[in-house]
Amino acid sequence: MKYELLGEYHAFMKQAKDAAEKRFALLYNLSTQIRNLAEDPTKTIDMEAETIKTAIAEAKAAEFEMTAAIGCVNETAKLCGEKEITTDSFRR
């Protein structure tokens, strides 16, 4: 067994998991912000628009990192006999 590859597999797995959790947290918080905006007619959409755009951009970056890490996990999985994963592996 190539222990270096196994170590890489687990490092990429952790990176994918961390990115998936960051994506989830950003989108969950975004949904809360949007719900609060919907419930409070004194807040204008323009006031929150930049915050929303930033959260979406950060969630997209986390998603890109997660997807890239999943690709690395699966490449090393083939080489060290471990299980491959998909984005569905991080479904809640």
Side-chain angles (χ1 to χ4, degrees):
M1 166 146 311
K2 296 182 179 183
Y3 292 105
E4 183 179 327
L5 289 174
L6 189 59
E8 287 181 21
Y9 173 84
H10 287 288
F12 288 130
M13 181 72 81
K14 181 179 179 345
Q15 182 182 7
K17 183 177 185 239
D18 290 349
E21 288 178 5
K22 181 176 181 179
R23 178 186 179 276
F24 174 84
L26 287 162
L27 292 174
Y28 183 84
N29 290 340
L30 180 59
S31 70
T32 301
Q33 288 176 314
I34 291 173
R35 185 175 48 253
N36 290 340
L37 181 61
E39 292 171 352
D40 185 352
T42 64
K43 291 183 179 179
T44 65
I45 293 173
D46 291 339
M47 185 171 80
E48 301 293 324
E50 199 56 43
T51 303
I52 291 168
K53 285 180 187 177
T54 300
I56 290 171
E58 289 176 4
K60 285 174 71 172
E63 183 176 291
F64 180 81
E65 180 181 356
M66 175 189 69
T67 304
I70 288 171
C72 293
V73 166
N74 291 338
E75 285 300 312
T76 56
K78 293 173 190 173
L79 300 172
C80 66
E82 291 293 320
K83 181 178 98 169
E84 292 187 28
I85 63 171
T86 65
T87 53
D88 201 43
S89 302
F90 303 107
R91 182 181 297 259
R92 291 184 176 224

